[in-house]
Amino acid sequence: MKDKAQFVPKIEGNEISSFKTTWSAPSNIALVKYWGKKELQIPCNPSVSFTLDQCRTTTSVQFKSRTAHDHASLVVQYDGKPAPSFEPKVKTFIDRIRPYSPYLEDYDLQIDTVNSFPHSSGIASSASAMAALAAAIMDLEKQIYPSLTAEDQIKKCSFLARLGSGSAARSVEGPLVLWGEHTATPDSSDLFGVRWTKAADVFQTYRDTILLVDKGQKEVSSTVGHNLMHNHPFAENRFAQAKAHYQDLLAILENGDMNGFTDLVEREALSLHAMMLTSSPSYILMHPNTIQIIQKVRNFRKTTGLHLTFTLDAGANVHLLYPEHEAEQIGQFIESDLRQYCQDNELISDRVGTGLKKT
Ligand code: DP6
């Protein structure tokens, strides 16, 4: 494993008494899934994701030098309104990153965050939320240590985000991100995500239409799901499969092989859910409408030869991935045949994006 010590500042920094910054970070959708981890989001297998564009979290942080009191204070707002229920999660995150960002001790934090996608859409917001917060903290670090290079700032941002939520390591850059060590990609690391630019052009503009089958809270959180991979009877085979899929998918992406993409990405999604179906206790996150959509997508592909592909994250919603040049025909099919399976007929139209933005 590459060294964590590289992320601890070693020089004296500038004194900054007050600083406010705003960052927006995207969500991402994994093509090869991260499912199963060791302590603090060290993944059991490497993963690859598309960075999204429209599904984002925007976070402003006001850092003010701590004054009279013993401990730095923390206030979190969601869209301008007090959100004390978010504070324990943010506190845990700050505690985890403190060894790498010790200067945080000196600041009171006021955080205001908002998602571009509906709060209750069943879309995971932890990846974009943790990446946006990490980006704001790294902007403060840049003010304190101006010699920090842009490259190191991005790398450490992903490193910090990972300590909040594993998949957040992949929400810093785009269009595709690798996370987790693999001999085929010597630059990839378990500690942070790295941008991957070798995909054929067709994959750099892919669309993702997210069908909101269930907008509620997930019945079983990802954290519980990851834990159920400990002592899972198929865990070792699953990790070996994911490692093989990772290498195969990179070749598929480089070659612009859209049929290979469909085949592998769908098997990955179903393999993820197979782990849930066979864990102890077992659970099912797919809904009847999830299966209806999957069947319709496969029939559509058979009859049209177009490259409509589904993937799933740890929930009932379906991500529909397809090339931009097929968007018109596929868009019509989504409207006429698939939208009806969404709760309140709601979907989100997204596409592959480029990562963090300072606003
Ligand atoms: C199914 O990153 O949400 O979306 O590290 O516990 O925060 P924690 O889990 P999380 O897990 C994501 C799981 C997944 C697959 C993926 O994004 O790779």
Side-chain angles (χ1 to χ4, degrees), residues 28-30 32-35 37 41 47 89 124 126-127 162 164-168 170 179 218 222-223 226 272 276 312-314:
N28 69 77
I29 179 68
V32 172
K33 310 289 181 180
Y34 148 60
W35 200 241
K37 61 175 165 179
Q41 287 82 252
S47 56
K89 215 172 176 189
S126 64
R162 187 206 93 233
S165 176
S167 54
R170 300 187 314 241
W179 170 44
K218 286 184 259 178
S222 287
T223 306
H226 284 291
L272 167 72
M276 302 171 194
L312 307 165
D313 57 20

Side-chain angles (χ1 to χ4, degrees), residues 198-215:
K198 292 187 187 156
D201 287 348
V202 68
F203 289 117
Q204 310 221 18
T205 54
Y206 246 51
R207 300 287 182 100
D208 180 3
T209 299
I210 309 167
L211 301 179
L212 302 179
V213 171
D214 180 14
K215 299 194 283 176

Side-chain angles (χ1 to χ4, degrees), residues 286-332:
M286 288 185 283
H287 284 200
N289 282 354
T290 312
I291 307 284
Q292 295 272 18
I293 292 165
I294 289 174
Q295 305 285 28
K296 290 240 171 176
V297 165
R298 289 188 159 176
N299 285 339
F300 174 79
R301 232 177 18 238
K302 215 181 258 169
T303 50
T304 62
L306 296 177
H307 298 90
L308 178 60
T309 301
F310 72 83
T311 188
L312 307 165
D313 57 20
N317 297 332
V318 183
H319 288 249
L320 296 176
L321 306 175
Y322 49 96
E324 184 152 61
H325 65 264
E326 294 179 4
E328 200 175 317
Q329 265 175 288
I330 290 176
Q332 281 164 11

Side-chain angles (χ1 to χ4, degrees), residues 217-263:
Q217 283 275 85
K218 286 184 259 178
E219 284 156 54
V220 181
S221 72
S222 287
T223 306
V224 172
H226 284 291
N227 278 335
L228 289 172
M229 289 303 281
H230 296 129
N231 304 318
H232 191 294
F234 304 140
E236 288 312 315
N237 281 340
R238 163 60 198 156
F239 302 144
Q241 180 196 45
K243 276 174 208 157
H245 279 174
Y246 174 89
Q247 191 161 4
D248 293 348
L249 182 66
L250 295 189
I252 285 168
L253 291 167
E254 242 180 298
N255 295 334
D257 174 5
M258 289 190 285
N259 291 330
F261 178 86
T262 297
D263 171 59

